[in-house]
Amino acid sequence: MEQGFDSEPIDRSKILNIKPLRSLAPVFPSPPGMSLASNPQASFPFVCVPPTGPFPPGLAPIYPFLVSTDSKSAAQQSSDFGNAIPSPAPLNAFRTPDTANGSTVRAMRGGRSQAEDGFSDDDYSDSMDQSGQFVTGRFKMHTTYTDNATNSGRQKGKTKRQRRNERAESSDFDEEGLVNSFLISFNLLQLDTFKKDTGDKDLVDRILLVYSLLRRRLSQYEDISGSSKRPDLKAGNLLMSKDIRTNKSKKIGHVPGVEVGDIFLFRMELCLVGLHAQSMGGIDYMTVKLSSDNDPVAVSIVSAGGYDDDGNDGDVLIYTGQGGVQRQDGLMFDQKLERGNLALEKSRHRGNEVRVIRGLKDVQGSKGKIYIYDGLYKIEDTWAEKNKSGCNIFKYKLLRLPGQPEAFTLWKSIQQWKDGVTSRVGVILPDLTSGSERLPVSLVNDIDDVKGPDYFTYITTPKYIRAYLLSTPSLSCICRGGCQPGDVSCPCIEKNDGYLPYSSLGVLLSYPALVHECGKTCACPSNCRNRMTQAGLKVRLEVFKTTNRGWGLRSWDPIRSGGFICEYAGEVMDASKVDKFASEFEDDYIFDATRIYQPLEGPQGNRSQSPKVPYPLMIDARREGNVARFMNHSCSPNVYWQPVLRESDNEAYLHIAFFAIKHIPPMQELTFDYGIIPPEKADRRRKQCMCGSSRCRGFFY
DNA sequence: GTCGTTTCACAAAT
DNA sequence: CATTTGTGAAACGA
């Protein structure tokens, strides 16, 4: 356990006023080949709209719930929209690019002919007629499954697998259309042959992002449809078959675009970026022509715990050869000196570098593994020995080449900090939240003498003076065991377009315009899958002093793509003052949702350019706030913010939640894009960006 | 609830 | 085209 929080009282008098450097930027980075010039439609990628209107066509506020508490005209306006606009097109409802007979994701779901166009009031009236309450749907569910669920709310009568089989036949969800729309979004549709062979960081990032979005969306669909498709393999297969990959030709040594310390959550990811081409096998090798005969040479290995490798010493790895196990019946026999084993043997004599990927058990409870690229090793020794069953196995001793960045050893250090075996250097405060968060957040400075950021009060959620009022009462769910995917009677799932927005691991599965979480009046428990951002911090964070950007935020734990990080807490500013405030005051420590942000999904440049949140939400974290106030700007961010709505009766609370865009290794700074502000307001507040990314816009606000 | 174990359905390279 | 290589999630059992 961590130390108590009060062990080291902070000396306020010594605290300097360090503000995070908000960053910079604007020229939103267009992917190569998709420059604005090449796309006439996109010549004005951003439109500036005053939060209260007037709105140009296509930029109207689309959420009927936003009835302003102090502006009559706004109230009028939004309720009008509530009736006039039947269905805010959900960002995640991808329409297939016109080929696949126009079917959409939503249209593929069986049994919902009525509600295809959104959720007008009528959508629920059906169920209300039958029982006077909106619980009829649940009743239907019970009869359908003849389930004997008692208090858990889970359908215990049948296993998920059984339900799968029952519904298996229906439904191919339009994978092709989904893939294509992602490929268009991230400009991967035509990948030139050079790039397929030689990657770069940007390309690797884009491929992994598409893989991740695809995988998560497939699993979201699988959640309710039934079929068990191994979304990880399926997504990999879809990209592989389209040849969306890089570093395709095997090479010895580092792979362009992949850095030592990068992490991966699926074996398929290693294949896609060319780090390790075997989707299952632990040893990847190629044959090189050497004078007369062909010699196999090992290029990379994965040490994943399938064999008893010994990797306890950070720079040495004792690796076991492959084979020798009959997978079906567990029988063992001698390993043979062929394939991968032979390649490793040859590589020792050649003395070539071998990439090493270490697979660890995922610390955060999930059953999966995390793969860490630990850089280049050389094989120092090889031998054969007998295992417990008396069969011959091959062993290879690998030594890590010196001078490479810390990777696997960093993980070991962090584990020691957590276990209290060693202490993190430069810790000023073990927990700057004083215990108000579920996990401590360290304050660390191993750079200079500054003793901490300016004083502020730590709070964990935004402070609303007044909730937004809804024109019609929100339906609360009665899912006592937590909302379950595929439960057609759950109004909370309905609000999310029929899908639960989060996976069972707490990963955001898509990036819709708005996530609807369960609210105060929902009957589901606090651990409901649809209350992910209400459950507090999931990773061990630290606020640290950067060399040139004030304070920053990073995590001791790895964060998987889509994983929840934190929300933005502070004082929610009164709507009537926001516009004035935005133009007149310093905005350090203020989150401003009224800026223009690049959507993460969807074609970049030619899709709707509406701001993420059509309401002028600003959160002031100067006096009171949480860890999020320390997150710096980057033009190549690894974190994305997502509006999350929690409704109860006639009230709605909008929250800003941060999710990882990619897998984030431990100790890598967490950053998001601060967005851009209208040019007429911009000049004065422009600040120089220090994000150091290759796509840096040079400034931020 | 939590742990380890078993089962199932898959993909790429050779 | 058959073989070789485990993986990742859910179900199951203790």
Side-chain angles (χ1 to χ4, degrees):
Chain A
M1 276 307 291
E2 307 289 337
Q3 288 181 263
F5 320 119
D6 50 358
S7 58
E8 227 178 306
I10 189 162
D11 179 353
R12 311 265 187 230
S13 65
K14 288 190 181 162
I15 294 183
L16 299 190
N17 184 359
I18 303 290
K19 296 178 175 179
L21 259 197
R22 279 200 160 205
S23 340
L24 351 187
V27 181
F28 270 57
S30 322
M34 208 181 184
S35 70
L36 299 179
S38 71
N39 185 347
Q41 282 187 320
S43 43
F44 288 102
F46 305 111
V47 180
C48 300
V49 183
T52 52
F55 298 87
L59 275 189
I62 53 175
Y63 303 112
F65 66 85
L66 292 174
V67 180
S68 159
T69 52
D70 25 37
S71 156
K72 286 216 170 73
S73 64
Q76 190 55 46
Q77 197 172 35
S78 30
S79 58
D80 285 347
F81 274 115
N83 296 327
I85 301 182
S87 125
L91 276 189
N92 60 348
F94 280 105
R95 218 160 262 282
T96 69
D98 84 31
T99 55
N101 54 27
S103 53
T104 65
V105 170
R106 301 180 58 217
M108 289 310 210
R109 282 186 294 133
R112 280 192 70 244
S113 54
Q114 286 294 24
E116 292 306 330
D117 284 328
F119 25 93
S120 63
D121 294 343
D122 285 342
D123 288 343
Y124 299 113
S125 60
D126 197 29
S127 6
M128 290 196 196
D129 285 343
Q130 299 183 30
S131 68
Q133 293 191 319
F134 63 87
V135 291
T136 319
R138 166 156 287 268
F139 179 49
K140 278 186 211 150
M141 180 190 87
H142 284 195
T143 54
T144 303
Y145 293 116
T146 59
D147 83 33
N148 54 8
T150 51
N151 54 352
S152 79
R154 198 163 165 225
Q155 299 168 6
K156 283 188 174 160
K158 302 204 174 180
T159 65
K160 189 162 184 177
R161 223 164 253 173
Q162 283 171 308
R163 277 182 280 142
R164 249 178 216 159
N165 294 338
E166 284 172 14
R167 313 199 216 172
E169 67 328 305
S170 80
S171 82
D172 274 51
F173 137 121
D174 181 10
E175 288 158 358
E176 273 297 304
L178 187 61
V179 181
N180 286 334
S181 78
F182 281 136
L183 295 184
I184 292 165
S185 293
F186 298 100
N187 196 36
L188 288 169
L189 213 45
Q190 324 88 334
L191 209 49
D192 62 64
T193 11
F194 176 76
K195 290 230 156 179
K196 281 176 189 168
D197 256 8
T198 311
D200 56 56
K201 189 150 183 53
D202 178 60
L203 180 59
V204 164
D205 279 352
R206 273 151 61 214
I207 290 177
L208 290 179
L209 180 54
V210 168
Y211 173 76
S212 180
L213 294 172
L214 194 52
R215 204 197 90 251
R216 282 140 67 188
R217 191 61 74 67
L218 289 171
S219 89
Q220 187 176 39
Y221 177 70
E222 184 193 310
D223 248 359
I224 65 171
S225 80
S227 52
S228 174
K229 289 275 169 85
R230 280 295 298 266
D232 58 315
L233 299 184
K234 187 75 186 171
N237 175 237
L238 282 166
L239 295 182
M240 284 289 204
S241 64
K242 287 177 178 296
D243 220 20
I244 307 301
R245 55 192 298 188
T246 187
N247 297 311
K248 189 177 174 182
S249 63
K250 294 183 181 180
K251 32 175 109 42
I252 292 170
H254 288 299
V255 158
V258 179
E259 290 167 15
V260 176
D262 281 356
I263 60 172
F264 303 85
L265 275 290
F266 299 91
R267 288 289 297 258
M268 270 303 189
E269 294 175 334
L270 303 175
C271 301
L272 289 169
V273 301
L275 192 63
H276 185 85
Q278 302 288 336
S279 64
M280 300 174 99
I283 305 170
D284 194 17
Y285 59 97
M286 59 195 267
T287 51
V288 288
K289 269 208 164 45
L290 198 63
S291 60
S292 57
D293 48 4
N294 292 345
D295 257 7
V297 181
V299 293
S300 59
I301 60 173
V302 177
S303 171
Y307 299 87
D308 44 333
D309 302 340
D310 183 353
N312 281 335
D313 184 334
D315 289 335
V316 182
L317 175 64
I318 310 293
Y319 190 77
T320 309
Q322 63 188 185
V325 181
Q326 193 83 63
R327 303 283 160 197
Q328 292 84 352
D329 42 26
L331 252 58
M332 308 210 49
F333 48 91
D334 286 351
Q335 291 186 345
K336 297 187 199 113
L337 192 57
E338 58 182 23
R339 301 166 189 277
N341 296 346
L342 180 60
L344 283 170
E345 178 65 34
K346 297 271 186 190
S347 284
R348 175 166 80 112
H349 294 108
R350 281 187 146 252
N352 67 285
E353 300 155 337
V354 177
R355 296 187 294 271
V356 168
I357 298 118
R358 293 180 184 252
L360 301 180
K361 278 234 156 71
D362 187 346
V363 267
Q364 277 126 276
S366 105
K367 293 284 185 185
K369 289 192 183 122
I370 298 192
Y371 300 93
I372 307 156
Y373 176 43
D374 200 32
L376 302 179
Y377 283 61
K378 277 192 179 176
I379 304 167
E380 194 198 58
D381 196 12
T382 74
W383 66 92
E385 64 184 45
K386 298 253 186 235
N387 68 3
K388 282 162 280 182
S389 327
C391 299
N392 274 329
I393 53 170
F394 295 103
K395 290 283 184 182
Y396 303 87
K397 180 181 184 188
L398 292 101
L399 290 184
R400 191 167 193 255
L401 298 185
Q404 304 186 83
E406 249 196 324
F408 177 61
T409 49
L410 175 63
W411 286 65
K412 295 178 54 154
S413 307
I414 292 170
Q415 194 53 54
Q416 295 190 330
W417 303 341
K418 287 182 167 183
D419 296 343
V421 179
T422 61
S423 56
R424 169 109 176 80
V425 289
V427 173
I428 299 168
L429 264 183
D431 182 15
L432 63 80
T433 79
S434 305
S436 50
E437 294 281 9
R438 210 171 68 88
L439 295 171
V441 177
S442 315
L443 179 64
V444 181
N445 184 354
D446 51 11
I447 298 288
D448 54 32
D449 291 334
V450 179
K451 286 299 181 204
D454 203 8
Y455 177 77
F456 71 101
T457 301
Y458 199 95
I459 56 174
T460 56
T461 59
K463 276 191 168 175
Y464 270 90
I465 301 167
R466 265 169 303 191
Y468 303 141
L469 298 182
L470 299 168
S471 47
T472 54
S474 156
L475 290 170
S476 302
C477 76
I478 53 165
C479 309
R480 300 206 174 277
C483 303
Q484 297 299 319
D487 183 348
V488 287
S489 71
C490 172
C492 302
I493 290 179
E494 197 58 48
K495 287 173 196 164
N496 286 305
D497 204 32
Y499 295 96
L500 256 181
Y502 306 109
S503 81
S504 51
L505 294 170
V507 167
L508 185 66
L509 294 174
S510 64
Y511 295 89
L514 193 58
V515 165
H516 293 263
E517 287 198 355
C518 294
K520 278 186 290 193
T521 50
C522 287
C524 58
S526 56
N527 66 354
C528 172
R529 241 170 92 173
N530 199 31
R531 292 181 185 273
M532 206 53 74
T533 68
Q534 308 171 32
L537 300 183
K538 288 220 160 29
V539 289
R540 181 68 166 83
L541 298 170
E542 76 170 27
V543 171
F544 73 106
K545 183 72 167 54
T546 66
T547 50
N548 60 358
R549 282 162 285 127
W551 296 87
L553 185 66
R554 62 189 175 192
S555 168
W556 290 10
D557 296 319
I559 307 174
R560 62 167 59 205
S561 181
F564 172 64
I565 296 168
C566 63
E567 72 165 311
Y568 201 99
E571 300 169 89
V572 175
M573 296 170 64
D574 195 304
S576 61
K577 297 181 188 147
V578 162
D579 199 37
K580 181 168 168 244
F581 194 99
S583 57
E584 292 184 6
F585 293 84
E586 279 284 311
D587 65 343
D588 287 342
Y589 295 124
I590 291 179
F591 178 86
D592 183 356
T594 68
R595 296 181 179 183
I596 312 297
Y597 294 89
Q598 179 93 326
L600 190 61
E601 285 189 17
Q604 308 191 346
N606 62 359
R607 65 175 296 113
S608 151
Q609 295 110 20
S610 61
K612 281 194 196 173
V613 180
Y615 189 80
L617 178 72
M618 291 182 76
I619 304 176
D620 180 356
R622 289 172 303 167
R623 291 175 293 267
E624 301 175 79
N626 71 342
V627 287
R629 74 200 288 281
F630 294 107
M631 231 186 299
N632 284 313
H633 164 93
S634 169
C635 304
S636 298
N638 51 15
V639 176
Y640 192 72
W641 66 268
Q642 167 74 47
V644 173
L645 194 71
R646 305 176 195 163
E647 296 174 342
S648 47
D649 298 328
N650 282 76
E651 298 186 331
Y653 298 89
L654 190 58
H655 293 253
I656 301 301
F658 292 91
F659 295 91
I661 295 176
K662 50 177 108 172
H663 305 317
I664 305 174
M667 303 304 279
Q668 193 166 95
E669 181 170 6
L670 306 177
T671 55
F672 72 102
D673 190 324
Y674 284 7
I676 62 172
I677 58 182
E680 68 272 15
K681 296 176 181 172
D683 281 355
R684 196 171 53 76
R685 292 190 291 165
R686 208 177 248 228
K687 302 177 183 92
Q688 190 191 351
C689 184
M690 303 294 202
C691 76
S693 120
S694 59
R695 305 172 165 204
C696 183
R697 304 188 284 246
F699 56 91
F700 71 103
Y701 304 103

